[in-house]
Amino acid sequence: MAEAEQQSGSTPEDEAPEGRDSNTFMVPKKEISMVPDMGKWKRSQAYADYMGFVLTLNEGVKGKKLTCEYKVSETVEKVLELLGTLDRWINETPPVDQPSRFGNKAYRTWYSKLDQEAEALVSAVLPADKYAAAPEIAVYLKESVGNATRIDYGTGHEAAFAAFLCCLCKVGALRVDDQLAIVFKIFNRYLSVMRKLQRTYRMEPAGSQGVWGLDDFQFLPFIWGSSQFIDHPTLEPRHFIDERVVNEHHLDYMFLDCIKFINEMKTGPFAEHSNQLWNISAVPSWSKVNQGLIRMYKAECLEKFPVIQHFKFGSLLSIQPTKH
C-alpha cells in the first residue's frame, strides 16, 4: 500500500503514464481525520489536480453557450449512458410511504443498486487497458450521489463527481478536447439526475448553511455558469434575478438553470431564501462574479473540514505533497 502511494506521488499531473502497472491503483481512503490534517490536504497533489481540473474547465467554457457546437467522444457517450442508468433506477425505485417528509428511505434501495454495480458501470466507460483502475475510480462515483445513512446531498458529493471526472481524465479515458462536453453534457446530465434524486427522495442538504450558503446542494455549476457569461453583450449579473430572463435563457446557461431550479423549489422573496445569490446579482461584471465564486468555493467548500474529512485519496488523487 505504502509503495503504491509512493509511486503515485511521481505521476505527471495531467496525463497518466503509458502502460501504467495495474498494481499502482488502490482503493481510495480517507486521510483527513482531524482539523490539523487540513494543511496536508492543501499541500497535496490531489488538491492541486482537483483545483487545476476545475479551473481548466472554467477557462474552457468561458463565453460559450450550452447549445454551442462541440465534439462528443465515445467515452463521453458512455458516461452519459452510465448517468442514464442511474436515472432509470430512480424510476424503478419509487418513494415509499413513511411518516417523515424528508429523507425517503427508498433512496437507500436505489443507492444499494449503485453500490453493487459501480465497478461494472465504471469498467464500461474505461478503455480495456485501464480496467484495473475501475475499483479506484468507482469509489468517487459512489461518493458523488449523496449519503445513504443520512439521505443527504451537498457540495462534498458534488466534489466527488468532479473527482470522478478528473480521474477519468488522468487515466486517459476523457481527453483535453472533451472539455466542453465534460461540463455541458456530462456535468449537466449529472445535475439533472441529482435534482431528480433530491426531489424524488426529498434529500436533506448536507451541512447546509441555510440562507448564508450559496445554494443548498451545488456550487460548481455557479462557477462554470458564471464563466459562460463572461463578456456577454447584454446579460449582466443583475439580470439573473429576473424570472423572465431565467425562463428565456436557462437552456443556454448553466447558472440560470440553477436559478430556475431554486425558484421551483423555494417560495418567498429571492433575497430571503437565497441571500448570497441576491448579493452576487449586485456585482458589476461576470468576471468579478467568477473570480469571487472561485475564492468562495475554496473557502466555503475545499477548506472546510466537515466537507473534506469525507474526501478519499488513492493513486490518482494522491495525498502526497505536490512536486515542485
Side-chain angles (χ1 to χ4, degrees):
M1 192 84 142
E3 193 180 305
E5 284 185 39
Q6 261 0 88
Q7 289 169 309
S8 73
S10 60
T11 62
E13 203 169 302
D14 297 318
E15 297 301 325
E18 285 309 304
R20 180 176 181 141
D21 200 338
S22 65
N23 67 4
T24 61
F25 293 114
M26 57 185 275
V27 175
K29 61 187 198 326
K30 294 178 185 181
E31 300 276 3
I32 309 299
S33 53
M34 296 177 300
V35 173
D37 295 335
M38 289 297 285
K40 202 162 65 164
W41 153 242
K42 283 185 254 182
R43 289 188 297 272
S44 72
Q45 190 61 48
Y47 183 90
D49 289 351
Y50 180 86
M51 229 23 246
F53 182 70
V54 169
L55 294 176
T56 299
L57 294 174
N58 187 59
E59 203 51 42
V61 301
K62 198 176 274 184
K64 297 191 169 71
K65 293 180 176 184
L66 289 169
T67 48
C68 74
E69 292 283 312
Y70 50 84
K71 171 181 164 271
V72 178
S73 66
E74 194 185 341
T75 304
V76 169
E77 293 287 8
K78 286 176 178 172
V79 179
L80 294 172
E81 271 173 44
L82 182 160
L83 292 168
T85 301
L86 302 188
D87 193 351
R88 193 181 73 245
W89 289 346
I90 302 174
N91 299 340
E92 293 167 5
T93 319
V96 293
D97 282 338
Q98 61 177 47
S100 160
R101 241 178 86 215
F102 288 97
N104 194 283
K105 290 181 177 57
Y107 171 80
R108 292 181 182 144
T109 311
W110 177 88
Y111 184 87
S112 66
K113 225 176 259 188
L114 172 61
D115 199 31
Q116 289 156 14
E117 302 290 333
E119 261 181 58
L121 290 171
V122 172
S123 295
V125 169
L126 293 171
D129 61 335
K130 292 290 187 290
Y131 281 167
E136 177 164 345
I137 299 176
V139 168
Y140 296 105
L141 179 64
K142 289 192 282 192
E143 297 278 322
S144 75
V145 297
N147 180 285
T149 310
R150 296 185 302 273
I151 314 186
D152 66 5
Y153 175 94
T155 49
H157 302 110
E158 178 190 76
F161 191 73
F164 165 72
L165 296 174
C166 183
C167 289
L168 289 179
C169 291
K170 293 199 105 190
V171 296
L174 291 170
R175 301 183 179 278
V176 176
D177 58 357
D178 288 319
Q179 274 180 32
L180 282 178
I182 288 172
V183 180
F184 291 173
K185 274 264 191 263
I186 298 176
F187 196 81
N188 216 19
R189 184 78 174 96
Y190 164 76
L191 276 182
S192 76
V193 177
M194 291 309 104
R195 286 170 185 157
K196 187 166 170 176
L197 275 180
Q198 290 152 20
R199 271 197 305 254
T200 306
Y201 304 120
R202 299 300 297 269
M203 297 178 78
E204 299 267 22
S208 171
Q209 297 165 308
V211 295
W212 305 114
L214 184 69
D215 177 73
D216 279 345
F217 298 112
Q218 315 298 155
F219 205 117
L220 289 171
F222 292 96
I223 295 178
W224 296 330
S226 60
S227 181
Q228 284 184 273
F229 273 126
I230 291 175
D231 297 332
H232 193 285
T234 55
L235 293 175
E236 293 168 24
R238 63 191 170 91
H239 290 117
F240 76 73
I241 46 181
D242 177 343
E243 224 161 305
R244 190 186 50 83
V245 171
V246 171
N247 292 332
E248 206 171 310
H249 298 282
H250 73 99
L251 294 174
D252 280 326
Y253 296 102
M254 201 170 244
F255 195 102
L256 299 183
D257 205 39
C258 290
I259 301 293
K260 183 171 181 284
F261 184 65
I262 291 171
N263 289 339
E264 286 166 6
M265 297 297 278
K266 302 208 165 185
T267 53
F270 192 87
E272 284 175 26
H273 63 62
S274 302
N275 191 261
Q276 280 279 25
L277 283 166
W278 176 264
N279 291 339
I280 286 170
S281 72
V283 176
S285 73
W286 283 109
S287 63
K288 280 214 162 43
V289 169
N290 186 245
Q291 289 158 11
L293 285 173
I294 291 165
R295 278 197 306 274
M296 188 178 169
Y297 185 59
K298 287 179 182 171
E300 299 300 322
C301 300
L302 300 185
E303 294 175 12
K304 285 281 190 278
F305 175 72
V307 175
I308 297 306
Q309 64 175 334
H310 303 293
F311 198 88
K312 292 183 177 171
F313 301 85
S315 73
L316 296 167
L317 289 167
S318 167
I319 191 65
Q320 297 300 320
T322 49
K323 305 162 301 295
H324 288 298

